Amino acid sequence: MPQQTSQEARTVRHDAVISLSSATATLGSRPVLRGVDLAVRRGEVVALLGANGSGKSTAVRSVIGQVPLTGGSVELFGTPLKQFRQWARVGYVPQRTTAAGGVPATVREVVSSGRLSRSRLGLLSSKTDKAAVDRAIGLVGLADRAKDSVSALSGGQHQRVLIARALASEPELLIMDEPMAGVDLASQEILAGTLRRQVAAGVSVLLVLHELGPLEPLIDRTVVLRDGLVVHDGPPTAGALPGHDDHHLTKEDCHPDAAGAASPLPTGLLS
Ligand SMILES: Nc1ncnc2c1ncn2[C@@H]1O[C@H](COP(=O)(O)OP(=O)(O)OP(=O)(O)O)[C@@H](O)[C@H]1O
Ligand SMILES: [Mg+2]
């Protein structure tokens, strides 16, 4: 039987790998998600956009069970979150909140921790594990820093270590919360190339972004949150113009600094 190409895999297998339905969540006393529907189908690359505080991180953290829902449901690979155990299938890059430091671990150790969900007894002994860790470190361009302490890295390099950690388990689904934040343009291009190869191999991706940037050609669909509600869900081009659909996106939806700031939507879409 002829092998299925990645393009066929992306167009034919349309089952959802993430399904967030009518999700509500409250942090403190504040309703942060107010009925969010978000689906990522197998092979799809979905960008989640919205202004600061619109609920993007809360939405992705609810998908992996870090924020409990007060209503609605989450399924991963068709399994309700409560029953889901196959965490090696999911790579997660949290939003970076602090610079590197604190934990005296090397790049290799941090990236290896991403492999633990795949290893028996939590031991990283096999050649396969070590090769996967090396490959992940190489993918983000840090092979020459593998033995360095993460505390000796710059913020952008630290971010690349977190991405390598997510790649180390060779996940089928990557969830990345602002992976490009603090990463310079040259490194963004390296990461975009890495992600392109992952997507070509059939990996599904949910990305929180402020700007599509070098990832723009990879994005199949954008979902825009405003105050914990979805105000746009569609292709990154058609339908996203203010006044073009019934959602009336504003620059504030797409960038925290509003007017004059770079837009996360393709150039020319926002007036
Ligand atoms: N632990 C918390 N306790 C109380 N409120 C919180 C907590 N974490 C987040 N919030 C609030 O929830 C809202 C949504 O936060 P969230 O981090 O999901 O936004 P975001 O869209 O990811 O923003 P950003 O672009 O700044 O990362 C914000 O108003 C925030 O202040
Ligand atoms: Mg966030």
Side-chain angles (χ1 to χ4, degrees):
M1 209 164 100
Q3 218 180 357
Q4 198 180 35
T5 65
S6 60
Q7 189 56 42
E8 283 169 332
R10 294 186 72 193
T11 51
V12 175
R13 301 170 65 193
H14 262 184
D15 37 332
V17 293
I18 294 176
S19 176
L20 190 63
S21 306
S22 308
T24 57
T26 302
L27 292 172
S29 57
R30 191 189 177 94
V32 175
L33 302 181
R34 300 191 293 142
V36 171
D37 291 314
L38 173 65
V40 177
R41 299 183 191 93
R42 190 172 293 278
E44 231 184 354
V45 181
V46 176
L48 185 58
L49 309 170
N52 288 147
S54 55
K56 305 179 298 295
S57 294
T58 307
V60 298
R61 293 178 69 225
S62 74
V63 167
I64 56 163
Q66 286 190 355
V67 171
L69 293 183
T70 49
S73 61
V74 190
E75 287 185 1
L76 281 170
F77 297 97
T79 302
L81 184 65
K82 274 190 183 151
Q83 276 114 58
F84 187 77
R85 298 284 177 273
Q86 300 168 309
W87 288 106
R89 299 175 79 184
V90 184
Y92 171 58
V93 179
Q95 182 169 12
R96 192 158 59 93
T97 49
T98 52
V103 183
T106 65
V107 169
R108 166 171 286 284
E109 284 166 346
V110 172
V111 175
S112 295
S113 71
R115 190 75 193 168
L116 290 176
S117 55
R118 223 175 235 290
S119 308
R120 284 170 51 219
L121 307 172
L123 297 173
L124 291 178
S125 51
S126 79
K127 276 187 184 160
T128 318
D129 287 326
K130 284 177 182 152
V133 169
D134 282 340
R135 195 163 49 244
I137 293 172
L139 283 173
V140 299
L142 286 176
D144 57 334
R145 306 299 300 265
K147 290 180 182 157
D148 290 0
S149 164
V150 286
S151 59
L153 299 181
S154 72
Q157 288 166 338
H158 188 244
Q159 181 71 359
R160 285 150 67 185
V161 172
L162 296 183
I163 293 169
R165 184 180 65 175
L167 294 174
S169 74
E170 299 170 303
E172 293 166 55
L173 167 63
L174 271 170
I175 300 174
M176 303 174 133
D177 195 342
E178 302 203 28
M180 298 304 202
V183 175
D184 64 35
L185 203 57
S187 304
Q188 284 190 24
E189 297 287 355
I190 293 174
L191 293 176
T194 302
L195 213 54
R196 196 177 309 122
R197 283 188 291 276
Q198 298 284 316
V199 171
V203 173
S204 317
V205 185
L206 175 62
L207 287 159
V208 175
L209 292 175
H210 274 293
E211 298 175 9
L212 299 187
L215 297 179
E216 184 181 328
L218 282 177
I219 311 290
D220 294 310
R221 193 151 56 81
T222 55
V223 175
V224 180
L225 288 185
R226 186 195 297 167
D227 292 334
L229 288 170
V230 174
V231 293
H232 170 79
D233 183 342
T237 48
L241 281 162
H244 183 86
D245 60 16
D246 56 358
H247 298 310
H248 302 292
L249 297 184
T250 66
K251 284 182 178 176
E252 288 79 1
D253 285 324
C254 305
H255 197 283
D257 303 321
S263 161
L265 296 171
T267 318
L269 278 183
L270 292 173
S271 55

